[in-house]
Amino acid sequence: MKRFEEMNREELLVVYQQAQADYSAACSQGLKLDMSRGKPGIEQLALSDELLKLPALDQCNVDGIEARNYGVLAGLPSCRKLFAQLLGVQPDEVFVGGNASLTVMYDIIAKAFTHGLLHSNTPWSRLDKVKFICPVPGYDRHFAICESFGMEMITAPMLLDGPDMDKVEELIKDPSVKGMWCVPKFSNPDGMTYSEAVIRRIAKMKPAAPDFLLMWDNAYCVHEFDAQYEPIPDILGLCREYGNPDMAVEFASTSKITLPGAGVSCFACSLDNMAYFSKLIGAQSISYDKVNQLRHVLFLKDKEYTLAHMEKHAAILKPRFDIVLSKLDEQVEPLGIAHYFRPRGGYFVSLYAMPGTAKRVHALMKNAGVVMTGAGATYPHGNDPQDSNLRIAPSFPSLDELAKAMDVLCVCLRLAAAEKTLGK
Amino acid sequence: MKRFEEMNREELLVVYQQAQADYSAACSQGLKLDMSRGKPGIEQLALSDELLKLPALDQCNVDGIEARNYGVLAGLPSCRKLFAQLLGVQPDEVFVGGNASLTVMYDIIAKAFTHGLLHSNTPWSRLDKVKFICPVPGYDRHFAICESFGMEMITAPMLLDGPDMDKVEELIKDPSVKGMWCVPKFSNPDGMTYSEAVIRRIAKMKPAAPDFLLMWDNAYCVHEFDAQYEPIPDILGLCREYGNPDMAVEFASTSKITLPGAGVSCFACSLDNMAYFSKLIGAQSISYDKVNQLRHVLFLKDKEYTLAHMEKHAAILKPRFDIVLSKLDEQVEPLGIAHYFRPRGGYFVSLYAMPGTAKRVHALMKNAGVVMTGAGATYPHGNDPQDSNLRIAPSFPSLDELAKAMDVLCVCLRLAAAEKTLGK
């Protein structure tokens, strides 16, 4: 195979016609697949079968607390401890919330708007303009929160070791820049893990806004599928070390450890932040679902057991990522029409199609019966200035379906690139 | 026994000295009891033992939906249907939320502040003043939400058939009065159920604020313990009938049907409100805990089964309320130093001690080892202008403990009233 850039027009026309034929054949398969979200597959759900049988009745009174009754706002001590182990923080830095870290993240930002944060001079709702730094490509649901609150999203590019900190350090000089999203490990969608140097640079930022909020979404803290578990540095400790003790709030959940939407979420923060948020949350809740917290403690036990459990997820996920990458390696890479990262954990493969073709590829895929995350979804307001990034979520389809979907994707990438190059 | 008002000073002194002696004896028992919250007792928790074994693995796919995976923001159709039956509304008027209706109530008000409601001209956070009508006595956690958002609470007295609507109809002429709390059935704490006439008068209100929010907390919708189940009129339907289709949002949960804090909550509202709130909540959540929703549907089945289940709670609760009332009837009522209501459902007995003595009674009780809901807690900012109302929550203690606690309470009421009358 020749690279597109090495082909003359005649050769490109041959490729184009072949791609058209291949695409027609792909459409005639009548596929109906969804690769749009990082949704665990049915085999992964089965890994938590035992969870549904817990707790036994004689296990409901734990830590001297009756899990089935009201109370204990910040969560069962044993569940705070479990998350503390997973995040490398202290149990009293952990607040265990409801079923989803997305809700916890939204709520923390909502509190900034309605009440202000610990170091706010005024609630954000009283400000004319609130800006938030969004490393791109990033997670669409983070952007949706910003959008819902009318924040202005300022992008900073993701580099190979994390966000472009030269740019970030410039941006934070503006006091209306109030915070920043980070997915520090296996970032969504690129699957990149921030280097320690970048993490330290983040922790030592001196933003102009006294209430700058570092939203540290550690969604994939134990989610290696192709590597030994390796923790990232504790952001709370580093922020403390660099004189920003209250800047970061960290988030995690068991959504992709046990059952998505039926798991347990948490946030972790400084003790001063804990006191501040707990008081505010005290008006919102008597306690979160301690029976489900207990269920998870009994099932996941501790960090060691949880990591062993994650290896079972890895065994299911790795073959899926292998299919994605091998299909791209075989059919797309040699043509020089796209590049992509090779993640070792997380839920996505981030694919950069030929600039100006991502929306077209998405439409072609949809027409062929395969739903992908919307082109542009990884950018604020769905606007990818390069129209290039596509997020592949291989966890949900079966291996067979995934292989078919990837074949179609490769055809679509080829067709769209040929159209673009030929000016069709 | 003579009534206090019929006693001369000498007789009162005898009562006083006897009360002092009785109180010393009570203190020497070394009690350690908590009657502060409407917290179900351990026997009530046991009624839901079967719940913890659900769902079985072959039950997880329901309504064509895999309950263990992401998705379906407004909740499992079967769970929406269950709540719709309990509330007398339509399933598509029901949004099933997280583990607690308190959180859902807080969130709806938070949305009013951050985004505004369907008919708001501006988010409430932009307004100089937001006032909210609080029928008193009322639920302290409602007041805590108002307080947290800096709302000015305007009280309206509870009468025998609901809030004083003459007063309410005056208050709503002020456009900064943005809403009203109601616990329409077995109100907290008085245990009163609004009459149909009052409910209709509420539904036909014409508040000056276009985005007036009727917070209809139907916490005790199926919680009779001493009467046949009787539904109250559907507030959503009545509001629609009177041209206020979007004024009311109704709340309920299974906290006192199954397990407190580990149950399922919901709100119910007009379809226009449902579309409006669902869009906003879409930034906050992918879906709530559908496994727990399913667990509840499998356990509670339908309205008929739920009502039968509530009879088991009633069998546990009624003897407790009987103790509270019989102790008061025997030891307090004849002295004319307090009055109280005789609820047929809900979780509280609302006791009106001699004005000016509630705080003293609370302190005496605490000193004797019995924690009661704070005196004044049933009024905004904990300020009962009469210093009279005390909320008795008899569900949690054992029968034996409760009898002891009530004996102490009767002593404290007597002692405080004697002190007050004698000017001690």
Side-chain angles (χ1 to χ4, degrees):
Chain A
M1 274 192 273
K2 262 187 181 172
R3 296 174 73 80
F4 265 41
E5 64 206 35
E6 298 163 352
M7 294 185 203
N8 60 29
R9 188 168 175 87
E10 214 162 295
E11 289 169 315
L12 278 169
L13 271 171
V14 173
V15 169
Y16 172 60
Q17 281 152 8
Q18 184 61 49
Q20 279 188 314
D22 291 348
Y23 183 67
S24 292
C27 288
S28 69
Q29 289 182 83
L31 294 178
K32 213 181 155 187
L33 298 176
D34 193 333
M35 285 209 301
S36 67
R37 305 297 320 180
K39 194 170 166 175
I42 190 89
E43 287 176 69
Q44 289 180 271
L45 302 182
L47 297 179
S48 296
D49 282 357
E50 288 305 303
L51 184 74
L52 296 183
K53 297 174 188 163
L54 298 168
L57 284 172
D58 61 1
Q59 297 172 310
C60 287
N61 201 303
V62 65
D63 303 328
I65 297 160
E66 172 53 64
R68 296 173 297 170
N69 219 330
Y70 288 121
V72 194
L73 182 62
L76 286 180
S78 53
C79 196
R80 300 175 76 180
K81 187 174 156 196
L82 174 64
F83 275 117
Q85 289 178 1
L86 299 184
L87 297 176
V89 300
Q90 296 304 309
D92 54 1
E93 294 174 319
V94 174
F95 186 109
V96 186
N99 72 314
S101 58
L102 182 71
T103 303
V104 182
M105 291 187 269
Y106 179 100
D107 279 357
I108 292 291
I109 288 183
K111 297 279 183 287
F113 273 85
T114 54
H115 294 79
L117 299 174
L118 184 57
H119 300 293
S120 294
N121 298 315
T122 184
W124 295 4
S125 60
R126 301 264 169 77
L127 301 171
D128 288 334
K129 171 86 69 183
V130 174
K131 299 176 189 164
F132 224 78
I133 301 174
C134 299
V136 288
Y139 180 31
D140 57 349
R141 293 194 191 273
H142 290 165
F143 305 152
I145 291 175
C146 286
E147 198 170 353
S148 183
F149 284 100
M151 292 192 250
E152 185 183 324
M153 291 179 263
I154 316 284
T155 61
M158 279 292 290
L159 306 180
L160 290 177
D161 57 354
D164 178 347
M165 288 306 296
D166 290 342
K167 171 113 195 239
V168 169
E169 285 166 1
E170 276 305 309
L171 292 173
I172 61 173
K173 293 176 182 168
D174 176 353
S176 66
V177 169
K178 287 292 195 180
M180 176 179 179
W181 289 106
C182 293
V183 182
K185 188 169 172 180
F186 306 128
S187 68
N188 179 346
D190 283 342
M192 225 90 81
T193 295
Y194 296 10
S195 70
E196 180 170 341
V198 164
I199 293 176
R200 284 187 177 271
R201 224 169 136 186
I202 291 171
K204 70 168 77 155
M205 291 190 295
K206 293 294 168 194
D211 53 352
F212 187 91
L213 175 62
L214 182 64
M215 294 289 287
W216 196 254
D217 183 3
N218 206 348
Y220 306 108
C221 53
V222 291
H223 298 62
E224 278 86 358
F225 60 73
D226 189 19
Q228 281 293 310
Y229 165 74
E230 195 174 344
I232 56 168
D234 164 28
I235 190 70
L236 300 183
L238 288 180
C239 284
R240 197 164 51 232
E241 180 182 330
Y242 290 116
N244 292 319
D246 306 318
M247 185 171 71
V249 183
E250 181 168 12
F251 304 91
S253 83
T254 67
S255 284
K256 290 178 176 93
I257 299 175
T258 58
L259 298 178
V264 178
S265 70
C266 77
F267 69 87
C269 62
S270 72
L271 296 186
D272 285 346
N273 267 333
M274 185 61 65
Y276 181 77
F277 287 126
S278 294
K279 184 163 184 287
L280 292 180
I281 297 171
Q284 184 174 15
S285 175
I286 300 169
S287 50
Y288 290 91
D289 186 342
K290 292 192 303 300
V291 171
N292 208 32
Q293 293 173 19
L294 176 58
R295 192 175 282 131
H296 279 75
V297 170
L298 293 169
F299 182 63
L300 295 174
K301 296 181 176 66
D302 54 24
K303 181 176 180 177
E304 192 185 345
Y305 197 92
T306 304
L307 291 176
H309 178 76
M310 293 312 290
E311 288 178 14
K312 299 179 195 166
H313 282 288
I316 297 168
L317 287 172
K318 181 163 187 309
R320 287 174 164 73
F321 282 84
D322 286 346
I323 287 175
V324 170
L325 293 170
S326 66
K327 293 286 185 187
L328 292 172
D329 288 349
E330 287 158 23
Q331 302 178 42
V332 170
E333 199 279 330
L335 300 174
I337 57 173
H339 69 276
Y340 40 91
F341 295 112
R342 312 184 82 83
R344 318 290 298 270
Y347 267 70
F348 305 107
V349 173
S350 185
L351 171 74
Y352 294 82
M354 180 180 285
T357 68
K359 280 199 170 64
R360 174 66 176 152
V361 170
H362 185 270
L364 287 167
M365 289 293 280
K366 192 174 172 189
N367 184 53
V370 185
V371 180
M372 295 187 67
T373 310
T378 53
Y379 289 77
H381 305 296
N383 178 27
D384 174 2
Q386 296 287 316
D387 186 26
S388 168
N389 187 245
L390 286 164
R391 190 181 76 165
I392 302 173
S395 52
F396 192 69
S398 69
L399 292 172
D400 182 52
E401 289 172 338
L402 180 62
K404 282 185 191 159
M406 283 307 300
D407 283 333
V408 180
L409 177 59
C410 292
V411 170
C412 294
L413 287 165
R414 191 152 36 95
L415 178 56
E419 288 172 349
K420 181 81 184 172
T421 311
L422 290 165
K424 294 269 175 191
Chain B
M1 275 193 275
K2 258 187 182 173
R3 299 174 74 79
F4 266 41
E5 66 205 35
E6 297 162 354
M7 293 186 204
N8 59 31
R9 190 167 173 88
E10 212 163 298
E11 288 168 316
L12 278 169
L13 270 171
V14 173
V15 169
Y16 172 61
Q17 283 153 6
Q18 183 62 48
Q20 279 188 311
D22 292 348
Y23 182 67
S24 293
C27 289
S28 68
Q29 290 183 80
L31 295 180
K32 211 180 158 189
L33 299 176
D34 193 334
M35 286 209 302
S36 68
R37 307 295 322 179
K39 194 170 169 175
I42 191 88
E43 287 176 69
Q44 288 180 272
L45 302 182
L47 297 178
S48 296
D49 281 357
E50 289 304 303
L51 184 75
L52 296 183
K53 299 175 188 163
L54 298 169
L57 284 173
D58 62 0
Q59 296 173 312
C60 287
N61 201 302
V62 65
D63 303 329
I65 296 161
E66 172 53 63
R68 294 173 298 169
N69 220 329
Y70 288 122
V72 193
L73 182 62
L76 286 181
S78 53
C79 196
R80 299 174 77 181
K81 187 175 156 195
L82 173 64
F83 274 118
Q85 290 177 1
L86 299 184
L87 298 176
V89 301
Q90 296 303 309
D92 54 1
E93 294 174 319
V94 174
F95 186 109
V96 186
N99 72 315
S101 59
L102 183 70
T103 304
V104 182
M105 290 186 271
Y106 180 99
D107 279 358
I108 292 291
I109 287 182
K111 296 277 182 292
F113 273 84
T114 54
H115 294 79
L117 299 173
L118 184 58
H119 300 293
S120 294
N121 298 316
T122 185
W124 294 4
S125 59
R126 302 264 169 78
L127 301 172
D128 289 333
K129 173 83 71 185
V130 174
K131 299 176 189 164
F132 224 79
I133 302 173
C134 299
V136 287
Y139 180 31
D140 57 349
R141 293 194 190 273
H142 289 166
F143 305 152
I145 291 175
C146 287
E147 198 169 352
S148 184
F149 284 99
M151 292 193 252
E152 186 182 322
M153 293 179 262
I154 315 283
T155 59
M158 280 291 289
L159 306 179
L160 291 176
D161 56 353
D164 178 345
M165 288 308 296
D166 290 341
K167 172 113 195 240
V168 169
E169 285 166 1
E170 277 305 309
L171 292 173
I172 61 174
K173 292 176 182 166
D174 175 354
S176 66
V177 170
K178 286 292 195 180
M180 175 179 178
W181 289 106
C182 292
V183 182
K185 189 170 170 180
F186 306 129
S187 68
N188 179 346
D190 284 341
M192 224 89 82
T193 296
Y194 296 10
S195 70
E196 179 170 344
V198 164
I199 293 175
R200 286 188 174 270
R201 223 169 138 186
I202 291 172
K204 71 167 76 155
M205 291 189 296
K206 292 296 168 193
D211 53 354
F212 187 91
L213 175 61
L214 183 64
M215 294 288 288
W216 197 254
D217 183 4
N218 206 347
Y220 306 108
C221 54
V222 290
H223 297 64
E224 279 84 359
F225 61 74
D226 190 19
Q228 280 293 308
Y229 165 74
E230 194 173 345
I232 57 168
D234 164 28
I235 191 70
L236 301 182
L238 287 180
C239 283
R240 197 162 52 231
E241 181 182 330
Y242 289 117
N244 292 319
D246 307 317
M247 184 171 73
V249 182
E250 182 168 11
F251 304 91
S253 84
T254 66
S255 283
K256 292 182 177 91
I257 298 174
T258 59
L259 298 178
V264 179
S265 70
C266 78
F267 69 86
C269 62
S270 72
L271 297 185
D272 285 345
N273 267 332
M274 185 61 64
Y276 181 77
F277 287 125
S278 295
K279 184 162 183 292
L280 292 180
I281 297 170
Q284 183 174 17
S285 174
I286 300 169
S287 50
Y288 290 91
D289 186 342
K290 293 192 300 301
V291 171
N292 209 30
Q293 293 173 17
L294 175 57
R295 191 175 280 129
H296 279 76
V297 170
L298 293 168
F299 181 64
L300 295 174
K301 297 183 174 66
D302 54 24
K303 181 176 180 176
E304 192 186 344
Y305 197 91
T306 304
L307 291 175
H309 178 75
M310 294 310 291
E311 287 178 15
K312 299 179 195 166
H313 283 288
I316 296 168
L317 287 171
K318 181 161 187 311
R320 287 174 165 72
F321 281 84
D322 285 346
I323 286 174
V324 171
L325 293 171
S326 66
K327 293 287 186 185
L328 292 173
D329 288 349
E330 287 159 21
Q331 301 178 42
V332 171
E333 200 279 331
L335 301 173
I337 58 174
H339 69 276
Y340 40 91
F341 294 111
R342 313 185 80 83
R344 316 293 297 269
Y347 266 69
F348 305 106
V349 173
S350 184
L351 171 73
Y352 294 82
M354 181 180 286
T357 68
K359 281 199 170 67
R360 173 67 177 152
V361 170
H362 184 270
L364 287 167
M365 289 293 281
K366 192 174 172 192
N367 183 55
V370 185
V371 180
M372 296 187 67
T373 310
T378 53
Y379 289 76
H381 306 294
N383 178 27
D384 173 2
Q386 296 285 316
D387 185 27
S388 167
N389 188 244
L390 286 163
R391 190 181 77 164
I392 302 171
S395 52
F396 191 69
S398 69
L399 291 174
D400 182 52
E401 289 172 337
L402 181 62
K404 281 184 192 160
M406 284 306 301
D407 282 334
V408 181
L409 177 59
C410 291
V411 171
C412 294
L413 287 165
R414 194 154 33 98
L415 179 55
E419 288 171 350
K420 180 83 184 169
T421 312
L422 290 164
K424 294 270 173 187

